[in-house]
Amino acid sequence: MIFRKTLAAALVTTAMLTLGAASAQTIRIGNQGDALSMDPHSLNESLQLSVTNNVYEPLVARDQNLKLVPGLATSWKQTSPSVWRFELRKGVKFHDGAPFTADDVLFTFARASGEGSDMKSYTNDVKEVRKVNDFTVDIETKGPFPILPDVLSLLFMMNKKWAEDNQATRPVDRRKGVENAASFRANGTGPFRLRERQPNVKTSFVRNGSYWGKIEGNVVNVEYTPIGNDSTRVAALLSGQVDVIEPVPLQDVARINASGKSKVMQGPELRTIFLGMDQKRDELLYSSVKGKNPFKDKRVRQAFYQAIDINGIQRTVMRGASKPMALMVGPGINGFDNAMNNRLPYDPDAAKKLLADAGYPNGFEVALNCPNDRYVNDGAICQAVAANLARIGVKINLQAETKGTYFPKILRRDTSFFMLGWTPGTYDAHNALNALMRCVDDKGSGQFNLGAYCNPKVDELTVQIQSETDKAKRDALIKEAFKLHSDDIGHLPLHQQALAWGVANNVELVQLADNFMPFRFMSVKPAK
């Protein structure tokens, strides 16, 4: 761990030294983490998708208000309850000059649903993609699927020939540590081109001069630098070495706002932070309990839930910048019902009794896996959870690490107890149900249900939800599914975190509630 910290510090120092004087149309972004790959199908993580969405594009895009708008498809319609026809945009070129056609759409769907892809949950209900002509495709789903356009807004199109020529027909597999050319090079249709990729040091982008659409901002060059240390990141903003930082440490908000040089943009985020537990293995990994799995017992899961002082975490760790959650989705997500957002009471005594009733009167030991550079105060939250659980006799062996090693570990389910954050990419409850709460299969259902929670009734309801067009009926189905999951203590929801970006006074940009940062909305104002 000491070596990792020393190496990380050296990389930050190197990156900071490379930050030269910026031109009037250059934006320098300092983020606590890096995109782990340029492959748009390698990791279904918001930061990763935010970065690659500047280079690659979906058929259906979103505007500054997160509303669906034409992307690489100019229109779409249902020709039957289970078939959607997409008319593709003509005249679009990939960055290498190759034309965008239906063949690229068919290739992308096959790639995203294949081995190594982290985007299977976006394609698992697609039965077939058919080419009608060079600029028309039909997408047939396994059943009626009225929210398909919403689902496709995060599936980025790749060029078939480029992938074949570069031996990148399969996605980079983060679970297995498998890399290919798509991790370090890129060939999209988006408003920015990848110029240089130095993983964990700096990634540079340049405006695509032949972009088919409108680029609202005036930025020409973007320099993206991971700066994991909070103090270093804030110092870089205040000294003018970078123009934007994300996230702003909550304790530094007032200092940045008082600097006269920069400001903090704050707003609600759609992401819910939660803890998951292995409920599948017969013997729990990384635990003092041998021969069985305590997390299979609802009483143990509930004991952990009621031992966590979420209001204390909100007050001391998050400095008020969070909303405690009882559900796996929060405000801003279609299907969220605030009347259901009632957490079980914080009650250490009740938690101790539940553990004793389950056969663990003295508690037990278990490892908790957490990132320390992905979510707001993620490492500190896990430390607080560990302290809370210690009060009921549970010894947490906290394993906090950079997301570059954390995500591959938990995605291959090499964990017993873990933290994850989730922003439904469709801004709809179905996304969370399908990806986080549905029983796991090899087609992409429950792809991020890393603890393998499974309730067949929840699965049944999820399928009904995706095909129901009557809003009242659909909301009732969502409510029923969430109640079942909550009653099962399928996961341990914590809170919905808030956004905090530090922005130089001469920079204008758009803060989206999904925490995406589109370069095309950024402008640098002339110096006075």
Side-chain angles (χ1 to χ4, degrees):
M1 182 61 72
I2 293 174
F3 171 76
R4 282 183 185 162
K5 289 181 178 177
T6 303
L7 177 60
L11 289 173
V12 168
T13 301
T14 301
M16 296 306 298
L17 289 173
T18 64
L19 292 171
S23 71
Q25 293 179 317
T26 295
I27 286 281
R28 298 159 301 172
I29 301 170
N31 196 291
Q32 71 173 352
D34 197 7
L36 299 185
S37 171
M38 291 296 104
D39 188 326
H41 307 143
S42 65
L43 187 64
N44 185 20
E45 182 225 3
S46 294
L47 176 60
Q48 173 95 6
L49 296 172
S50 172
V51 172
T52 55
N53 194 23
N54 292 292
V55 177
Y56 292 97
E57 296 180 291
L59 295 178
V60 183
R62 292 190 184 273
D63 64 13
Q64 296 186 24
N65 299 308
L66 297 180
K67 301 298 184 184
L68 291 181
V69 293
L72 292 178
T74 56
S75 65
W76 49 91
K77 64 180 181 181
Q78 285 183 276
T79 57
S80 75
S82 300
V83 177
W84 287 80
R85 174 158 292 184
F86 289 80
E87 300 294 339
L88 306 183
R89 192 176 297 278
K90 298 177 180 178
V92 175
K93 303 286 186 183
F94 285 93
H95 295 161
D96 66 354
F100 166 69
T101 69
D103 292 331
D104 301 308
V105 177
L106 269 63
F107 166 77
T108 293
F109 271 84
R111 188 181 193 270
S113 61
E115 183 180 347
S117 170
D118 210 38
M119 303 300 287
K120 288 182 181 178
S121 62
Y122 295 86
T123 63
N124 66 304
D125 287 296
V126 173
K127 180 179 180 180
E128 185 181 12
V129 185
R130 296 185 290 269
K131 176 180 176 180
V132 178
N133 57 51
D134 282 347
F135 295 100
T136 307
V137 295
D138 281 349
I139 300 177
E140 182 178 357
T141 55
K142 295 174 182 176
F145 201 6
I147 63 169
L148 180 66
D150 297 86
V151 172
L152 298 186
S153 64
L154 287 178
L155 187 63
F156 303 151
M157 298 295 113
M158 293 186 70
N159 178 245
K160 180 184 182 204
K161 185 176 187 304
W162 182 88
E164 291 172 344
D165 290 346
N166 287 277
Q167 292 77 53
T169 54
R170 288 184 177 180
V172 168
D173 192 337
R174 301 305 311 174
R175 294 165 179 78
K176 298 179 180 178
V178 177
E179 302 280 7
N180 62 41
S183 192
F184 307 102
R185 301 199 296 274
N187 182 39
T189 60
F192 283 79
R193 302 168 182 250
L194 177 66
R195 182 167 58 191
E196 182 182 16
R197 170 71 172 160
Q198 298 179 53
N200 297 315
V201 178
K202 185 173 73 172
T203 303
S204 301
F205 305 86
V206 63
R207 189 183 184 104
N208 177 12
S210 57
Y211 182 55
W212 60 265
K214 180 182 179 183
I215 300 177
E216 290 86 345
N218 67 6
V219 168
V220 174
N221 302 296
V222 177
E223 296 178 1
Y224 181 98
T225 304
I227 308 174
N229 182 274
D230 285 349
S231 298
T232 305
R233 194 165 62 252
V234 172
L237 176 68
L238 294 178
S239 65
Q241 292 177 296
V242 298
D243 307 296
V244 179
I245 65 169
E246 195 275 323
V248 172
L250 298 175
Q251 66 271 17
D252 290 308
V253 170
R255 181 159 70 103
I256 291 173
N257 282 332
S259 69
K261 299 176 181 179
S262 304
K263 58 186 177 293
V264 178
M265 296 178 64
Q266 291 182 285
E269 186 178 4
L270 300 177
R271 185 186 316 281
T272 297
I273 306 296
F274 62 90
L275 301 174
M277 305 146 288
D278 176 6
Q279 299 168 54
K280 181 177 182 181
R281 290 184 175 92
D282 291 328
E283 180 175 298
L284 194 63
L285 298 177
Y286 313 116
S287 168
S288 61
V289 180
K290 303 304 175 186
K292 57 182 177 179
N293 182 345
F295 287 139
K296 285 192 173 187
D297 191 322
K298 175 186 169 180
R299 292 171 296 185
V300 173
R301 302 195 298 272
Q302 184 170 335
F304 274 49
Y305 188 129
Q306 293 197 252
I308 296 173
D309 181 5
I310 195 63
N311 291 323
I313 290 173
Q314 179 193 40
R315 183 176 61 255
T316 61
V317 178
M318 299 302 291
R319 296 176 180 247
S322 64
K323 178 181 175 64
M325 296 301 303
L327 300 175
M328 296 290 280
V329 300
I333 300 301
N334 185 48
F336 171 74
D337 184 349
N338 194 55
M340 294 185 68
N341 193 35
N342 299 308
R343 290 180 60 87
L344 293 174
Y346 166 57
D347 190 337
D349 291 335
K352 286 180 183 178
K353 185 177 186 306
L354 284 164
L355 277 184
D357 291 347
Y360 306 97
N362 300 314
F364 56 91
E365 291 186 28
V366 66
L368 170 58
N369 296 105
C370 285
N372 56 19
D373 59 0
R374 178 59 192 99
Y375 310 117
V376 177
N377 291 341
D378 41 16
I381 293 168
C382 288
Q383 289 173 358
V385 168
N388 288 165
L389 292 173
R391 296 186 190 125
I392 66 168
V394 174
K395 180 182 177 183
I396 292 295
N397 298 313
L398 182 57
Q399 299 178 3
E401 59 190 310
T402 177
K403 70 170 193 168
T405 53
Y406 175 75
F407 279 124
K409 180 179 179 66
I410 67 164
L411 289 175
R412 61 177 180 264
R413 292 174 165 79
D414 184 17
T415 181
S416 297
F417 188 30
F418 60 91
M419 169 185 274
L420 198 62
W422 194 262
T423 302
T426 59
Y427 315 115
D428 186 271
H430 171 268
N431 173 271
L433 285 162
N434 182 55
L436 301 175
M437 291 170 268
R438 201 167 171 180
C439 299
V440 179
D441 66 22
D442 60 0
K443 303 297 184 182
S445 296
Q447 188 177 8
F448 300 94
N449 181 3
L450 305 180
Y453 162 78
C454 186
N455 183 329
K457 181 60 177 178
V458 172
D459 277 28
E460 179 185 326
L461 289 166
T462 301
V463 172
Q464 293 178 48
I465 289 163
Q466 73 186 29
S467 61
E468 181 57 65
T469 57
D470 183 279
K471 187 179 188 309
K473 292 180 180 178
R474 191 173 190 272
D475 287 347
L477 293 170
I478 291 172
K479 182 175 182 178
E480 184 179 354
F482 280 165
K483 186 176 188 310
L484 286 170
H485 176 266
S486 296
D487 289 347
D488 288 339
I489 318 290
H491 294 78
L492 308 181
L494 296 178
H495 58 237
Q496 195 175 42
Q497 66 181 31
L499 292 174
W501 298 359
V503 182
N505 286 342
N506 67 325
V507 169
E508 293 179 345
L509 49 72
V510 176
Q511 186 178 64
L512 301 177
D514 60 2
N515 204 22
F516 275 38
M517 195 177 283
F519 302 158
R520 66 189 179 95
F521 297 148
M522 295 181 174
S523 291
V524 179
K525 295 182 288 188
K528 294 182 180 179

